[in-house]
Amino acid sequence: MGAKYLPTIKDMKASQRFQQKQHPLPFFKKPSGAPLPKKGKQK
């Protein structure tokens, strides 16, 4: 039996960066219309 591979913090961070490059998160477009009306104080 071989030794079990335990990834280091450095390995996990590098893997996370690689995954984000492969599948970037979609950026949500802000509506260009009028801004949302502000809610009044709620009690």
Side-chain angles (χ1 to χ4, degrees), residues 16-32:
Q16 188 177 19
R17 283 197 304 271
F18 178 75
Q19 290 296 326
Q20 286 177 350
K21 285 182 184 178
Q22 294 296 315
H23 304 284
L25 293 175
F27 290 100
F28 294 104
K29 295 182 180 179
K30 293 183 180 179
S32 59

Side-chain angles (χ1 to χ4, degrees), residues 1-42:
M1 297 287 293
K4 291 192 175 189
Y5 171 69
L6 296 173
T8 62
I9 301 293
K10 194 173 183 179
D11 290 332
M12 290 190 289
K13 286 184 180 179
S15 176
Q16 188 177 19
R17 283 197 304 271
F18 178 75
Q19 290 296 326
Q20 286 177 350
K21 285 182 184 178
Q22 294 296 315
H23 304 284
L25 293 175
F27 290 100
F28 294 104
K29 295 182 180 179
K30 293 183 180 179
S32 59
L36 297 174
K38 293 183 179 179
K39 293 183 179 178
K41 291 184 179 179
Q42 295 179 353

